[in-house]
Amino acid sequence: MAQQVPLERSDIANERQDGRAIQVLADMAYKQLVFVNVMLVGQARQPHWVLVDAGIPGSGDRIRRAAAERFGKDTPPSAIIMTHGHFDHVGVLEELAAGWNVPVYAHPLERPYLDGSSAYPPPDPTVGGGAMALLSPLFPRSPVNVKPQLRDLPPDGSVPEMPGWRWLHTPGHSVGHVSLWREADRTLIAGDAIVTTAAESAYATAVQKPELHGPPKYFTHDWQAAETSVAKLALLEPELIVAGHGHAMRGEAVRAALHRLSREFRQLAVPPHGRFVEAPRRAEDGSAYDAP
Ligand SMILES: [Zn+2]
Ligand SMILES: [Zn+2]
């Protein structure tokens, strides 16, 4: 059974290499850190920019270098916005937030994973798909602590320091997962609500094979919510999608793939025997928050 929606190399949105980050819009570039992306939102050579997500452990120098090449030396961002707090998105968050002394914004439901108070539920290595899934029990899931810099995303849906953008609550992969959306040019920063490579497979992850997928299976704890979130994103009809994993992708074929993923979510995205398919972990009953 097909477990993915294939995309073509020609759908990849990369226009040119801008230093070490890949520019996809005049005011957006992303930096691939082994298997995860961070987004640098802001015009090149302008001092005002925002970092979305904070990479894998050990990636601090690479992020700082990419930022310096794009925005100039000693140009810290105005804020760091978190799509969610999994280890591959908060790898150097403590170091960057403290070093730059900038606010970190996240959804209130994600706060316990970012202020040291809760761990994520354990990953599910039984979801299949490859070595990344099998190795997932080794991935860190204990919280980071950026309490002094941590702020809630504003309830009105605006994104601090990113005019023209809105945050959308897209839970399922994690309870406080958000995606960022700019209506004017239909740009979607999807986080891990959808990804554009097979995150469970070490091979696909290594070559960044373009395919549209639901959220990485081993770390998704509520599949019903994940399905609703993908439906919400499909309705947006995005022109450009930059996800937490995989290449940025653009155009009609990608939109069609997103609709198909939404329509056939149960077959394409939900693991047949996942531990959390029957027993989701949720915020409402506290089951999404483990002891740190
Ligand atoms: Zn994640
Ligand atoms: Zn991720």
Side-chain angles (χ1 to χ4, degrees):
M1 180 172 50
Q3 290 284 316
Q4 93 291 88
V5 184
L7 293 170
E8 301 299 323
R9 285 263 160 206
S10 57
D11 299 322
I12 295 176
N14 304 347
E15 282 170 353
R16 68 187 177 88
Q17 297 281 328
D18 177 66
R20 288 165 173 270
I22 298 166
Q23 173 165 305
V24 284
L25 292 171
D27 67 349
M28 179 146 68
Y30 67 103
K31 170 81 185 144
Q32 297 184 308
L33 301 158
V34 190
F35 66 96
V36 71
N37 300 322
V38 296
M39 279 59 66
L40 295 80
V41 182
Q43 301 268 355
R45 289 170 291 284
Q46 296 292 318
H48 182 92
W49 68 283
V50 169
L51 178 71
V52 179
D53 288 350
I56 48 171
S59 62
D61 281 345
R62 276 171 290 163
I63 294 174
R64 277 187 293 263
R65 216 179 307 131
E69 278 171 18
R70 186 168 172 81
F71 304 108
K73 243 176 104 78
D74 302 319
T75 309
S78 304
I80 302 173
I81 313 280
M82 299 305 301
T83 62
H84 65 304
H86 283 155
F87 83 100
D88 48 337
H89 300 250
V90 299
V92 287
L93 181 62
E94 289 175 350
E95 169 191 336
L96 293 179
W100 282 328
N101 191 25
V102 291
V104 175
Y105 291 92
H107 192 281
L109 291 177
E110 206 71 0
R111 175 175 270 275
Y113 310 119
L114 298 167
D115 68 5
S117 51
S118 293
Y120 284 100
D124 182 357
T126 70
V127 294
M132 296 293 277
L134 292 172
L135 289 171
S136 63
L138 303 175
F139 298 157
R141 63 189 178 94
S142 51
V144 294
N145 189 347
V146 290
K147 204 172 188 173
Q149 291 90 12
L150 191 59
R151 316 267 184 279
D152 288 345
L153 282 164
D156 67 2
S158 63
V159 182
E161 309 295 343
M162 287 175 66
W165 290 82
R166 319 256 318 150
W167 63 264
L168 306 169
H169 189 206
T170 45
H173 180 62
S174 77
V175 289
H177 187 286
V178 298
S179 304
L180 308 180
W181 170 245
R182 182 165 63 186
E183 180 81 25
D185 61 356
R186 318 198 76 76
T187 297
L188 175 66
I189 297 176
D192 284 0
I194 49 174
V195 298
T196 56
T197 195
E200 299 81 17
S201 153
Y203 171 75
T205 295
V207 301
Q208 298 272 288
K209 195 165 157 231
E211 299 171 346
L212 193 67
H213 286 256
K217 294 186 175 79
Y218 45 85
F219 260 154
T220 296
H221 297 110
D222 184 344
W223 285 100
Q224 228 173 358
E227 181 173 12
T228 306
S229 293
V230 169
K232 193 192 265 192
L233 297 181
L235 281 175
L236 298 173
E237 308 282 356
E239 174 58 25
L240 172 68
I241 300 175
V242 190
H245 304 267
H247 290 287
M249 311 290 296
R250 83 159 92 238
E252 179 52 39
V254 181
R255 264 193 301 281
L258 178 54
H259 280 289
R260 184 174 160 215
L261 177 68
S262 176
R263 264 193 328 267
E264 300 171 35
F265 191 81
R266 294 292 159 104
Q267 298 77 46
L268 291 170
V270 180
H273 309 294
R275 192 178 283 169
F276 301 110
V277 176
E278 298 297 320
R281 299 285 202 102
R282 296 198 161 124
E284 296 77 28
D285 58 8
S287 58
Y289 303 110
D290 277 9

